[in-house]
Amino acid sequence: MINGSKVLDHSIRWAMVGGGKGSQIGYIHRSSAQRDNNFKLVAGAFDINPERGIAFGQELGVDPDRCYPDYQTMFAEEAKREDGIEAVSIATPNGTHYAITKAALEAGLHVVCEKPVCFTYAEAEELVALAKAKNRVVGVTYGYSGHQMIQQARQMIKNGDLGQIRVINMSFAFGAYNVKLEETNPAAKWRFDPAKAGISFAMADVGTHPLYLIEAMIPDMKIRKVLCTKQAFIEGRQLEDNAFTIMDLEGTECVQDGAQVYCWSSSINCGARHGHKVRIVGSKASIEWDDERPNQMSYEIEGEPVRTLERGAGYLYPEARVEDRIGGGHAEGLFEAWSNLYRRFAVAMSGADTSEYGDFWYPSVEAGAQGVKWLEKCVESANNNSVWVDFN
Ligand SMILES: NC(=O)c1ccc[n+]([C@@H]2O[C@H](COP(=O)([O-])OP(=O)(O)OC[C@H]3O[C@@H](n4cnc5c(N)ncnc54)[C@H](O)[C@@H]3O)[C@@H](O)[C@H]2O)c1
């Protein structure tokens, strides 16, 4: 159970790039990183507009001398201080992630980066190698993976409760962009600009989330090939607002050879809030998880009544109870899931003992690289009349 005690003897001196006032994702980074006192926000370059970023840093209580106009100045100035920053989180638009992550690693910092970590798989491999050479952690905020039921699914699959996996049906299909939001909302504009967003919108923005969930649930999963179709239903969009991907899987201990994964990534699914669901069908049983009801998971054995597993319950695998914060019955949500990930990032950065977890993992730079590779392969398939494309 987590009770707020630090994993290190001190809070990691931590900064943010981006996540400025009015940004979508900045607050959850700050609140989750600092939830268990593992990180303390001491510096930042919070905004593309230096004045706005400096003013916002002060509103957050950061020392005015450590509110910087840009990340380059921050990394240079902080390196001169004895109490300089040790880690940085990057919550800026996609097109900046690679350069900022690279600069942070070169400055000897641990990094938490938003997805996608970069635009190309070649860049991703470079970041993987740099993180290794510098002996630094790069965590990627696939935040939903911090929910306790994801740990439960991972343990159930590992222990053979589902048998061999045959089919995965998953989606992250929401509806907010069924109108041209980018014309009225400035924060939506960069998402359809390939120079700022990369080669994909719907798949990069949301499809990579269920992809990482199944990678976390099934660590030995191996994609053999992918087939993708993508569309921009709203006129004038340069990037897709809807896509379907089928993946063909290799046989492994947990996966039957030829298992099929179906992934719907969409931003035009009228009426849906997130529409983020994963159903895993095995030879013995199926499980299904929905991010809008994250404390529950359906466990369905053929011929028996459907069971609903509940977060915090004594019958879960011990690994799924390590990060319980308030006991079963109370609803935990996305903030707790992110706090769990930030706690794991702190454990990884500190080199602290991971034995309490039994099975310690976190979304790493390798996972980020896998997401970037998946996007490249999906776009390659879609652009070639939706042919099957080898994954490796
Ligand atoms: N993990 C998740 O669940 C999740 C959810 C939403 C967004 N995201 C990702 O988070 C990132 C940010 O998304 P958002 O929705 O918060 O975007 P946003 O446009 O709402 O906010 C971006 C912030 O970054 C600042 N910024 C831009 N360039 C900068 C620079 N060079 N230096 C410093 N600050 C800079 C902007 O001023 C703004 O404050 C994106 O990569 C997005 O894909 C992840």
Side-chain angles (χ1 to χ4, degrees):
M1 195 146 184
I2 292 177
N3 54 19
S5 53
K6 295 196 289 282
V7 299
L8 274 170
D9 56 356
H10 76 284
S11 303
I12 297 169
R13 296 183 298 277
W14 174 68
M16 281 196 78
V17 182
K21 197 167 191 167
S23 68
Q24 188 185 16
I25 209 71
Y27 177 59
I28 194 165
H29 278 275
R30 285 186 289 281
S31 115
S32 307
Q34 299 185 99
R35 168 76 65 88
D36 300 315
N37 301 308
N38 289 310
F39 296 88
K40 181 166 172 43
L41 183 69
V42 295
F46 297 99
D47 203 296
I48 188 70
N49 176 312
E51 291 78 36
R52 211 167 46 197
I54 289 168
F56 183 54
Q58 291 175 48
E59 282 177 37
L60 295 173
V62 176
D63 178 345
D65 291 344
R66 300 176 83 176
C67 295
Y68 297 99
D70 53 64
Y71 72 86
Q72 293 94 334
T73 309
M74 176 163 79
F75 294 164
E77 291 302 313
E78 288 291 316
K80 294 176 191 161
R81 300 177 65 112
E82 252 182 41
D83 63 349
I85 54 173
E86 301 164 278
V88 64
S89 289
I90 301 165
T92 53
N94 304 357
T96 60
H97 295 170
Y98 167 73
I100 305 174
T101 301
K102 192 171 171 198
L105 286 171
E106 278 164 354
L109 301 172
H110 294 292
V111 179
V112 175
C113 186
E114 269 305 342
K115 41 88 302 230
V117 285
C118 52
F119 277 178
T120 69
Y121 188 56
E123 288 172 348
E125 285 187 307
E126 206 188 306
L127 294 177
V128 169
L130 186 60
K132 202 168 173 194
K134 293 284 183 182
N135 193 22
R136 287 293 173 268
V137 168
V138 179
V140 181
T141 34
Y142 286 120
Y144 307 97
S145 66
H147 283 294
Q148 289 155 55
M149 297 315 263
I150 306 305
Q151 282 278 24
Q152 171 68 10
R154 178 177 167 112
Q155 302 312 319
M156 288 176 79
I157 290 166
K158 192 160 110 183
N159 286 293
D161 296 349
L162 309 191
Q164 278 221 308
I165 290 159
R166 294 172 170 166
V167 170
I168 301 175
N169 189 7
M170 62 191 198
S171 64
F172 199 144
F174 68 113
Y177 288 85
N178 76 315
V179 292
K180 222 168 183 179
L181 208 58
E182 60 273 31
E183 276 184 351
T184 51
N185 180 346
K189 208 168 184 169
W190 66 261
R191 292 167 212 269
F192 290 96
D193 175 354
K196 296 192 172 120
I199 55 174
S200 158
F201 169 60
M203 291 185 286
D205 194 46
V206 291
T208 50
H209 280 296
L211 176 72
Y212 182 66
L213 286 184
I214 61 167
E215 287 170 3
M217 290 175 182
I218 316 163
D220 74 350
M221 185 182 84
K222 288 197 175 66
I223 303 172
R224 183 160 39 215
K225 46 189 183 170
V226 304
L227 180 153
C228 175
T229 75
K230 64 182 177 70
Q231 305 77 32
F233 281 108
I234 306 290
E235 214 183 315
R237 285 188 173 157
Q238 295 186 68
L239 296 172
E240 90 284 355
D241 48 29
N242 189 78
F244 298 102
T245 305
I246 305 176
M247 291 167 254
D248 182 61
L249 303 186
E250 290 178 28
T252 61
E253 200 182 326
C254 298
V255 177
Q256 186 169 333
D257 192 51
Q260 300 288 295
V261 183
Y262 177 83
C263 178
W264 180 24
S265 314
S266 187
S267 63
I268 51 102
N269 181 17
C270 290
R273 299 298 294 164
H274 264 190
H276 182 194
K277 297 175 190 172
V278 175
R279 180 175 180 83
I280 302 188
V281 178
S283 54
K284 289 203 254 175
S286 303
I287 50 173
E288 186 163 324
W289 182 82
D290 175 348
D291 100 19
E292 291 170 46
R293 296 186 300 115
N295 293 271
Q296 286 81 32
M297 186 165 67
S298 175
Y299 177 32
E300 304 167 26
I301 302 171
E302 181 57 30
E304 295 186 16
V306 172
R307 298 170 204 191
T308 301
L309 306 182
E310 293 279 349
R311 189 199 63 74
Y315 50 72
L316 300 181
Y317 282 105
E319 291 85 350
R321 301 183 64 204
V322 171
E323 288 164 332
D324 185 4
R325 289 166 183 271
I326 193 173
H330 300 93
E332 292 192 11
L334 194 62
F335 279 80
E336 286 74 27
W338 277 62
S339 302
N340 294 339
L341 281 195
Y342 261 103
R343 190 169 186 275
R344 289 187 225 166
F345 295 152
V347 169
M349 290 173 190
S350 69
D353 182 14
T354 61
S355 57
E356 67 173 296
Y357 287 86
D359 182 6
F360 180 75
W361 56 275
Y362 63 92
S364 63
V365 67
E366 286 84 359
Q370 182 81 351
V372 172
K373 182 175 180 181
W374 183 76
L375 292 172
E376 278 190 350
K377 298 288 182 183
C378 289
V379 170
E380 182 187 336
S381 168
N383 288 348
N384 285 290
N385 229 359
S386 303
V387 290
W388 281 105
V389 168
D390 286 339
F391 197 74
N392 293 303

